[in-house]
Amino acid sequence: QAARNAAGCGPMEGSAACPCMGTHGQPVLEMAGQHVIVGTTEDQAGRLFPSTYGQQCTAHAQAEDPACQGLFPAEHCTRAWCFVDPCTCQDPEMQLAPEFVTTEFGTRLYVSSA
């Protein structure tokens, strides 16, 4: 935690105005010894993500995004974010998660960098 604070990172659980949900609401699968979740939107269908993807407010690996490769990745590749509840998040820039259509509970999934 001290290293995160020194680097100017926010808390892993998000902000008081927009806390992380701590879940992505996706079924976790085991594939080749790895626990993964599978993208469901048209752009991301079948793409595998780590089972911890989006659960905490941190930058998340975007290995398949060409803009995130090399020594100078695009800003969105290093931005901290997490999945949030739209009913409790007060971030006006909150948006729908681009990777998943719905959660296991039938609700839409949102992301925030706040």
Side-chain angles (χ1 to χ4, degrees), residues 60-107:
H60 299 277
Q62 303 282 333
E64 294 180 16
D65 184 342
C68 297
Q69 306 303 312
L71 296 175
F72 303 101
E75 189 272 332
H76 74 271
C77 304
T78 58
R79 182 182 320 125
W81 62 272
C82 64
F83 295 119
V84 297
D85 180 343
C87 297
T88 59
C89 178
Q90 299 171 28
D91 176 12
E93 296 182 25
M94 170 184 56
Q95 54 191 283
L96 285 170
E99 304 88 355
F100 308 103
V101 176
T102 65
T103 66
E104 290 182 295
F105 317 108
T107 58

Side-chain angles (χ1 to χ4, degrees), residues 8-81:
C9 301
M12 295 289 276
E13 63 276 359
S15 68
C18 191
C20 300
M21 290 192 323
T23 183
H24 41 63
Q26 303 300 308
V28 176
L29 309 172
E30 186 172 342
M31 301 178 101
Q34 301 288 319
H35 290 94
V36 298
I37 55 178
V38 181
T40 59
T41 60
E42 188 174 328
D43 299 15
Q44 304 293 326
R47 181 174 169 204
L48 302 179
F49 298 89
S51 62
T52 57
Y53 188 73
Q55 292 181 338
Q56 294 182 321
C57 193
T58 188
H60 299 277
Q62 303 282 333
E64 294 180 16
D65 184 342
C68 297
Q69 306 303 312
L71 296 175
F72 303 101
E75 189 272 332
H76 74 271
C77 304
T78 58
R79 182 182 320 125
W81 62 272

